[in-house]
Amino acid sequence: MSDLRIIDIEKRYQAVQPKNDASFMLRPVRLSIREGEFFSLLGPSGCGKTTLLKLVAGLLQADGGEIWVGGENLTNVPPESRRFAMVFQQSLLFPHKTIEDNVAFGLKMQKVGKKQRLKAARDMLEQVGLAGFGNRFPDELSGGQQQRVALARALVANPRVLLMDEPFSALDPGLRKEMRELLSRIQKDFRVTVLFVTHDRDEAFALSDRIAVMGDGQLRQVGSARDLYERPETTAVASFLGLRNILSGVLKNSRFASSDGTIETDVTKQLTDGAYFMVIRPEAIKAAEGNQLGHVSVSGIVQELKYGRGMYSLKVNAGNQLLECVVTTTQAEKTAVGEPINLLVDMEEVWFLKE
Amino acid sequence: MKKHPQLLSLFAFIALIIFVVVPFVPLILSSVSFSWRWPDVLPESWSFRAWEYVLNDGRTWQAVGISLWIALIVTAVNILLALPAANALVRYPVRGRWLFEAIIFAPIIIPPFISVMGIHLTFLRLGLTETVLGVVLAHIAPTLPYMFRAVMISYQTLSADWEDQARMLGARALPRFFHVVLPHLLPGILAGASLSVLISLSQYLITFIIGAGQVVTLPILLFPFVSGGDPGIASAYSLLYAAIAIAALVGMDAALKRYYQLNKAPQDLAKGGKP
Amino acid sequence: MKLYPITAIGMLALALSACSSEEAGSATDADSLLTDDWSVIQDNAQGQEVNMYMWGGNDNINNYLDDWVAPRMKEQHGIELVRVPMNDAQDIINQLLDEKTAGKTDGSMDIVWINGENFKAAKDNDLLWGDFTGQLPNFNDYVDADAPEVSQDFGEPVEGLEAPWGKAQFVFVHDANQHENPPKSMTELADWVKQNPGQFTYPAPPDFTGSAFVRQVLYETTGGHEQYQQPAADIEDLEERLEPMWQYLNSIEPYLWREGETYPESLAKQDQLFASGEIGMTMSYDPALAASEVLKGRFPESTRTYLLDGGTLANTHFLSIPFNASDKAGALVAINELMSPAAQTAKLSPENWGDLTALDLEKLSPEQQQAMNEVDLGEATLSIEELEQNRLPELSSDYIDIIEKGWTEHVAKE
């Protein structure tokens, strides 16, 4: 068992400030990442995810807490001795060294013989699809190729943990997808533990076993992609994950009434009375007339109609509430901006958040 | 399209002649002229008196050796001082950093005469006058700012990520410096070293006051002839001085090229083939 | 930055290189050398390295020291004579002043070549060793110690602190092919300047030669040199007495080179103007300089020197020993040798230097006299006799200060 355990790691701002809570760059974080797991830190820029990554790497000095791998306390071990590897947003290939020498650099630092390390480097280059590029220099490679080399260089010395700081964000979208697939495959082949930082929800969802959503210097929620999306614990997590249909209201005697009066419906879930947010995923809404069992009907005016990848996304003004939903092309063709529309919300798919 | 680069290189060549070669012509003529009087364009006759004096004097070659030796040590010391100083000032949030920079850059603005007069007494008491060591220390003041500036700019363009990357690959401080930092700084260091060597070679006043006649560099021999009005010998010394300076620069440039060749050995050709 | 080992090696190398240039000097009971027998001094001098600090801007002088004097010094006295080139004798004084302040006792200047203002400054600040000339056999045998040009240096009593090495005299230089009858007095010069506008100028004081020219004007326009043999402070109406001199200089100014708007900043610049034919006359405080410039091909063959009918300024230049010289015995022997008839005869030759002897010709043996007279001074140089008969004494430096400042005020600014 070589799990990566992050125990109450914290980081404060360096600036001298009166002692108050606002001085935290990162509030104490506790996380346990299993060996071979692909774990992402997801959040908007400035949320502290890169800080956490660098704390794990040892490139930043923590103001408290510990880092363990298996039974080994690495808190006071300098980064060069942690046997972690890191891939940055830029490939950071050493420009005066060949691709081969770049990849072999980590082994060279471990004093592995020249022949052996060059062979390992070549094998690794083959893994990332760059066989035969070994004798070139970094500036002769495209951006995507360079990032592949960076990945090869990080993996060649068999790191205990691979840290990645938005490694694909500088690439164009097509290339990004290709790189994700490559990374996914290699991660499984090498069974390496990955701690991956990104602000891109789709990227995190596509790659990760588990995701930690971060905001304002703290962990908001940890879980699988589906957990997070279908059962967000706060409105902040929900809205960061793209869930816009959030209606505040009051639940009383198994009946929920939104405060603006748009929706009033029975709730079958076992919930105590109180103030709630009702989170409706766009997929839980369909455009249809009449009424259906387990659904609640909402009528409104179409405000926006946008085509995207085989489906239309629709914004409907219902009372004071703007609801987003997804409809098929045929359904979309029946309506237009400014026309009234009737929506059905599947109450099975609705998620209630206690305020 | 094809004519264009040729035309450009022709202009470059002409500019080179005008700005680099032409200024040397009067020096060369004056160093070998005998009875060169206005309004003659060329000297009436020739004489190698000046060159005989300059080249036969054993002191000339001794002075060349000492000049280069001092320039070399000064530059080496400058590199050792500028690297950590620039590193600290660029990388760490030093309090009052403008003050440190001001101190380092001050010798460029303050006339060397003033500072040298000040340190002369101190050096006398420490027994540093009339020694190569004293002259080297005194030369550091006017040369270090240039070295420091060059290295600092190089450091500013080196993101800390590079070193972080090397750390994450297991590199300790020394390998980090030699594999990542030094190759990046090298062009800057060379630029600084060139200036340092040239400025050290050209110091008259500082060398004269601190060396007190016992450390004889080329300018020490040259100056009395410039002010004493012997244009022939002054020209010959100036030409020799220029030759030494150029040789030093070319030598350093060759050393850098060699360094890059050693590091990029067989691929250079393949690289040169690419547009 | 873990560079300490490299730094340490660098510093070590520096320290080693510094050690090698360190000098082992002993100034122990040096003062007894002022009374010791000459043979004791000679014994002490054996093997010493004597540094001679002197202006280094003339290849003839340098070669005379390096090629003529130094080998003989080594051969005959076992002394290593090292010439140290200086840009200006003023620097020697500044250096010694600092060394005195810092209490440096093992100085490396053993002989210094000075006179005039620099001697006065050195004397006033106790930078010189002591009354040593009486110890030198050649001084005792061949020099007239009572002659004013030997006992005084620009009005300052020498008191044995420096030994005469050579003499200089102010001469005018012209091209005989251009102007057959050069002006022989200041009145004639004023006429000549008006007839040949743009052909005359003089280096701006405080240039040494330019300043001497102004003093020459002073003597001729204010009624002779005798009145100035007392300290300047004792003459109450000095301002008024100097007035005719300023008037004279201002009256010729519009007819000078560039209409007197600027003056050459140095004699070197003035000589360049003469060499290139831009001006018709130059001047020198070295009567043999013109001859040696002809030999170097800078001045035309037809260059000649001449004196004013009323005589010209003359001075003596001296060799002295600083208070902290490390090799005083060697310095004594070297100075004695530089004053020998043989060395002085060689020095007289324009091929070597062309500097007038400091020795009294009458004290020399007939053979020695003959050797001196046989030296070919070159056509451009006047005979020793003619020069000797037209010497005027120099002013003391308090006058020189007043005149140099006055020139800026009365002539340059107007």
Side-chain angles (χ1 to χ4, degrees):
Chain A
M1 278 289 280
S2 293
D3 292 357
L4 169 65
R5 282 180 298 141
I6 300 164
I7 304 169
D8 295 339
I9 271 291
E10 63 179 61
K11 182 76 185 169
R12 294 193 180 91
Y13 284 111
Q14 276 180 341
V16 197
Q17 277 176 349
K19 273 204 170 177
N20 59 26
D21 289 345
S23 68
F24 276 103
M25 254 167 111
L26 186 72
R27 286 161 191 281
V29 165
R30 187 184 287 251
L31 266 179
S32 184
I33 297 163
R34 289 186 299 278
E35 188 177 3
E37 188 178 19
F38 196 115
F39 193 98
S40 290
L41 299 171
L42 176 65
S45 58
C47 71
K49 56 190 194 298
T50 297
T51 304
L52 177 56
L53 191 77
K54 288 197 166 173
L55 286 167
V56 172
L59 295 174
L60 285 178
Q61 196 72 42
D63 294 318
E66 291 178 351
I67 304 279
W68 289 70
V69 169
E72 203 179 330
N73 183 351
L74 295 177
T75 315
N76 294 315
V77 175
E80 57 266 33
S81 306
R82 289 188 179 186
R83 282 189 47 226
F84 288 3
M86 187 151 168
V87 175
F88 292 75
Q89 188 172 347
Q90 260 71 41
S91 61
L92 298 175
L93 301 180
F94 306 131
H96 52 282
K97 290 187 189 296
T98 60
I99 298 303
E100 225 163 62
D101 286 340
N102 260 291
V103 175
F105 186 80
L107 293 173
K108 184 176 179 170
M109 291 302 109
Q110 290 176 14
K111 309 245 177 345
V112 174
K114 185 165 183 162
K115 245 185 173 167
Q116 214 182 328
R117 68 174 187 253
L118 285 182
K119 189 187 176 305
R122 271 179 223 126
D123 290 350
M124 202 64 226
L125 281 170
E126 210 179 318
Q127 287 284 338
V128 298
L130 287 175
F133 282 73
N135 284 336
R136 302 210 188 167
F137 280 89
D139 57 1
E140 297 170 71
L141 268 55
S142 72
Q145 288 172 327
Q146 289 185 12
Q147 207 56 310
R148 285 172 195 232
V149 176
L151 182 62
R153 180 174 64 175
L155 287 173
V156 77
N158 240 333
R160 295 196 275 208
V161 177
L162 174 61
L163 307 170
M164 305 186 90
D165 188 5
E166 311 218 15
F168 307 140
S169 61
L171 305 177
D172 54 62
L175 214 50
R176 226 178 286 170
K177 191 157 174 280
E178 199 182 311
M179 290 300 290
R180 278 180 209 159
E181 280 158 15
L182 176 79
L183 176 61
S184 218
R185 176 176 61 74
I186 285 184
Q187 193 259 341
K188 284 184 182 84
D189 285 356
F190 285 77
R191 279 188 290 279
V192 63
T193 313
V194 174
L195 184 56
F196 189 94
V197 161
T198 183
H199 65 269
D200 181 337
R201 180 173 42 119
D202 294 337
E203 188 165 84
F205 280 21
L207 287 167
S208 316
D209 297 322
R210 278 195 301 154
I211 298 167
V213 177
M214 293 184 70
D216 289 337
Q218 55 185 315
L219 286 190
R220 299 239 190 247
Q221 193 175 349
V222 181
S224 69
R226 192 171 166 189
D227 280 347
L228 293 170
Y229 191 66
E230 295 185 358
R231 286 181 288 279
E233 282 166 10
T234 60
T235 51
V237 172
S239 63
F240 182 72
L241 294 177
L243 300 169
R244 301 277 153 67
N245 306 331
I246 302 171
L247 285 71
S248 69
V250 179
L251 185 82
K252 205 174 176 187
N253 299 329
S254 292
R255 194 161 174 82
F256 178 82
S258 70
S259 43
D260 62 355
T262 315
I263 285 184
E264 196 176 342
T265 177
D266 290 330
V267 177
T268 52
K269 292 191 173 79
Q270 295 296 315
L271 292 167
T272 52
D273 291 356
Y276 279 87
F277 288 111
M278 181 164 128
V279 182
I280 314 166
R281 282 181 283 114
E283 299 87 355
I285 305 176
K286 56 187 178 190
E289 291 297 329
N291 223 329
Q292 260 179 297
L293 194 65
H295 287 63
V296 61
S297 160
V298 181
S299 55
I301 309 289
V302 177
Q303 202 184 30
E304 194 184 285
L305 202 57
K306 258 191 189 162
Y307 183 74
R309 273 192 267 172
M311 302 286 270
Y312 274 89
S313 75
L314 209 62
K315 280 186 185 166
V316 176
N317 215 338
N320 291 330
Q321 189 69 39
L322 200 63
L323 290 176
E324 285 182 20
C325 60
V326 184
V327 297
T328 60
T329 333
T330 27
Q331 282 174 319
E333 276 164 358
K334 290 178 189 160
T335 183
V337 174
E339 300 215 347
I341 190 167
N342 200 57
L343 300 174
L344 289 179
V345 178
D346 186 348
M347 287 307 289
E348 281 295 305
E349 302 286 318
V350 166
W351 174 245
F352 283 99
L353 257 178
K354 185 129 196 177
E355 202 166 327
Chain B
M1 275 301 274
K2 261 212 134 177
K3 277 261 155 77
H4 208 65
Q6 279 179 356
L7 208 65
L8 258 178
S9 65
L10 183 71
F11 277 129
F13 185 70
I14 291 169
L16 186 82
I17 298 280
I18 290 174
F19 292 110
V20 179
V21 179
V22 167
F24 280 105
V25 170
L27 275 182
I28 294 167
L29 287 178
S30 137
S31 74
V32 295
S33 67
F34 183 81
S35 88
W36 187 14
R37 272 187 292 278
W38 187 84
D40 299 345
V41 176
L42 287 176
E44 213 169 84
S45 54
W46 309 95
S47 149
F48 290 100
R49 173 189 70 89
W51 283 106
E52 266 167 34
Y53 175 81
V54 169
L55 298 182
N56 283 343
D57 193 351
R59 287 157 163 270
T60 303
W61 299 112
Q62 229 177 321
V64 167
I66 289 177
S67 300
L68 286 174
W69 174 234
I70 288 174
L72 204 75
I73 303 179
V74 165
T75 304
V77 174
N78 275 336
I79 293 174
L80 294 182
L81 291 176
L83 282 179
N87 181 35
L89 279 182
V90 171
R91 289 290 165 80
Y92 302 104
V94 183
R95 266 173 159 254
R97 107 203 234 139
W98 62 271
L99 187 70
F100 286 101
E101 288 190 27
I103 289 170
I104 292 172
F105 288 122
I108 297 185
I109 301 150
I110 298 169
F113 185 73
I114 292 170
S115 51
V116 168
M117 292 313 270
I119 61 174
H120 184 222
L121 273 177
T122 312
F123 273 31
L124 262 173
R125 293 202 176 97
L126 295 173
L128 285 169
T129 52
E130 306 178 7
T131 65
V132 171
L133 174 64
V135 172
V136 164
L137 289 176
H139 277 198
I140 286 172
T143 51
L144 182 59
Y146 296 96
M147 177 66 84
F148 179 74
R149 187 107 191 96
V151 174
M152 202 168 82
I153 289 169
S154 294
Y155 256 115
Q156 276 164 347
T157 59
L158 176 67
S159 149
D161 285 349
W162 288 98
E163 280 170 275
D164 284 348
Q165 174 68 81
R167 282 194 103 166
M168 295 313 296
L169 293 167
R172 287 162 200 282
L174 221 51
R176 250 181 353 247
F177 179 76
F178 283 108
H179 286 287
V180 179
V181 180
L182 192 61
H184 180 86
L185 299 183
L186 215 55
I189 290 176
L190 188 82
S194 305
L195 284 168
S196 168
V197 164
L198 285 185
I199 292 167
S200 168
L201 281 179
S202 67
Q203 290 303 316
Y204 167 74
L205 199 71
I206 291 179
T207 314
F208 171 77
I209 290 175
I210 301 299
Q214 295 299 300
V215 180
V216 180
T217 59
L218 214 46
I220 298 287
L221 293 180
L222 162 68
F223 253 66
F225 286 100
V226 174
S227 60
D230 190 326
I233 290 178
S235 304
Y237 268 126
S238 301
L239 285 168
L240 182 67
Y241 172 82
I244 303 288
I246 291 169
L249 290 189
V250 169
M252 281 195 292
D253 203 47
L256 183 77
K257 285 223 177 80
R258 175 135 185 80
Y259 172 87
Y260 278 131
Q261 258 161 20
L262 283 179
N263 278 272
K264 274 192 170 187
Q267 293 79 29
D268 244 16
L269 285 172
K271 222 190 155 202
K274 285 193 105 186
Chain C
M1 203 94 339
K2 288 195 177 157
L3 286 171
Y4 301 119
I6 305 171
T7 318
I9 292 167
M11 293 317 264
L12 191 67
L14 282 172
L16 286 175
S17 64
C19 286
S20 59
S21 56
E22 205 75 46
E23 235 172 83
S26 78
T28 44
D29 50 28
D31 288 349
S32 68
L33 292 170
L34 290 172
T35 49
D36 277 339
D37 279 350
W38 186 247
S39 62
V40 175
I41 294 171
Q42 276 186 308
D43 287 348
N44 274 337
Q46 274 285 340
Q48 286 192 341
E49 191 179 293
V50 175
N51 292 317
M52 183 160 169
Y53 279 61
M54 54 184 282
W55 178 68
N58 183 304
D59 56 331
N60 281 354
I61 303 176
N62 293 351
N63 283 335
Y64 168 66
L65 265 301
D66 293 347
D67 301 343
W68 199 97
V69 180
R72 283 169 177 76
M73 214 62 94
K74 175 111 192 154
E75 207 174 288
Q76 292 166 15
H77 304 285
I79 290 174
E80 192 83 42
L81 185 74
V82 180
R83 177 179 60 81
V84 178
M86 304 294 273
N87 196 24
D88 189 340
Q90 178 69 42
D91 296 334
I92 296 176
I93 305 304
N94 291 338
Q95 191 84 42
L96 286 172
L97 270 172
D98 273 359
E99 289 185 12
K100 181 125 196 159
T101 313
K104 186 177 165 82
T105 50
D106 56 339
S108 41
M109 298 188 200
D110 297 312
I111 302 176
V112 293
W113 183 27
I114 53 175
N115 75 345
E117 285 173 84
N118 295 318
F119 169 67
K120 186 169 174 7
K123 191 182 166 193
D124 290 348
N125 291 290
D126 285 330
L127 301 178
L128 303 176
W129 177 36
D131 178 1
F132 72 87
T133 49
Q135 287 286 68
L136 309 175
N138 285 335
F139 181 86
N140 295 331
D141 292 350
Y142 303 119
V143 175
D144 179 3
D146 297 327
E149 70 257 33
V150 171
S151 65
Q152 291 193 2
D153 182 354
F154 279 78
E156 186 68 29
V158 166
E159 292 166 6
L161 293 169
E162 52 177 9
W165 190 23
K167 284 178 192 166
Q169 190 164 354
F170 193 85
V171 294
F172 287 91
V173 180
H174 75 121
D175 182 349
N177 279 358
Q178 307 276 337
H179 306 282
E180 274 186 33
N181 295 309
K184 298 272 181 113
S185 72
M186 286 301 164
T187 325
E188 285 179 42
L189 178 68
D191 294 340
W192 188 91
V193 164
K194 281 165 195 161
Q195 282 157 24
N196 301 282
Q199 288 284 299
F200 184 79
T201 188
Y202 54 94
D207 175 82
F208 180 72
T209 310
S211 175
F213 171 76
V214 176
R215 295 199 290 278
Q216 199 72 55
V217 174
L218 174 77
Y219 284 5
E220 294 227 351
T221 57
T222 65
H225 63 86
E226 291 84 359
Q227 52 183 317
Y228 303 116
Q229 295 306 310
Q230 51 186 317
D234 293 354
I235 305 178
E236 282 176 12
D237 58 342
L238 188 61
E239 286 268 324
E240 287 144 51
R241 285 201 208 179
L242 299 182
E243 196 49 43
M245 168 174 70
W246 307 131
Q247 277 174 15
Y248 177 88
L249 290 172
N250 282 323
S251 75
I252 61 171
E253 195 175 57
Y255 307 99
L256 299 183
W257 174 71
R258 294 213 179 152
E259 287 154 9
E261 274 169 21
T262 72
Y263 291 81
E265 73 270 15
S266 66
L267 180 65
K269 184 81 205 297
Q270 164 125 354
D271 281 350
Q272 217 172 314
L273 294 175
F274 178 74
S276 66
E278 255 196 86
I279 54 173
M281 251 207 254
T282 183
M283 54 196 72
S284 174
Y285 216 132
D286 176 355
L289 183 81
S292 99
E293 293 292 324
V294 171
L295 279 179
K296 287 178 193 167
R298 291 193 62 218
F299 286 2
E301 296 271 356
S302 48
T303 303
R304 296 291 179 271
T305 58
Y306 69 92
L307 301 172
L308 298 182
D309 291 337
T312 56
L313 291 163
N315 74 47
T316 308
H317 51 88
F318 297 83
L319 298 173
S320 187
I321 303 174
F323 69 100
N324 63 353
S326 298
D327 303 294
K328 294 192 171 94
L332 285 170
V333 173
I335 292 174
N336 188 57
E337 190 55 41
L338 287 164
M339 293 174 71
S340 70
Q344 291 275 319
T345 306
K347 181 164 71 78
L348 186 61
S349 163
E351 275 168 37
N352 287 328
W353 178 353
D355 186 45
L356 300 179
T357 181
L359 308 183
D360 184 351
L361 283 173
E362 285 171 16
K363 291 197 170 193
L364 298 180
S365 70
E367 298 81 45
Q368 288 167 335
Q369 282 189 30
Q370 197 190 345
M372 281 239 182
N373 285 327
E374 277 173 3
V375 172
D376 179 10
L377 295 178
E379 272 193 276
T381 312
L382 300 168
S383 72
I384 299 174
E385 240 182 3
E386 193 181 344
L387 289 167
E388 289 273 348
Q389 283 161 8
N390 290 292
R391 297 168 67 92
L392 299 178
E394 264 291 0
L395 284 173
S396 62
S397 39
D398 46 351
Y399 284 99
I400 296 177
D401 281 347
I402 293 169
I403 291 171
E404 286 175 359
K405 277 185 195 127
W407 185 83
T408 315
E409 221 168 275
H410 291 96
V411 182
K413 279 190 186 161
E414 280 180 16

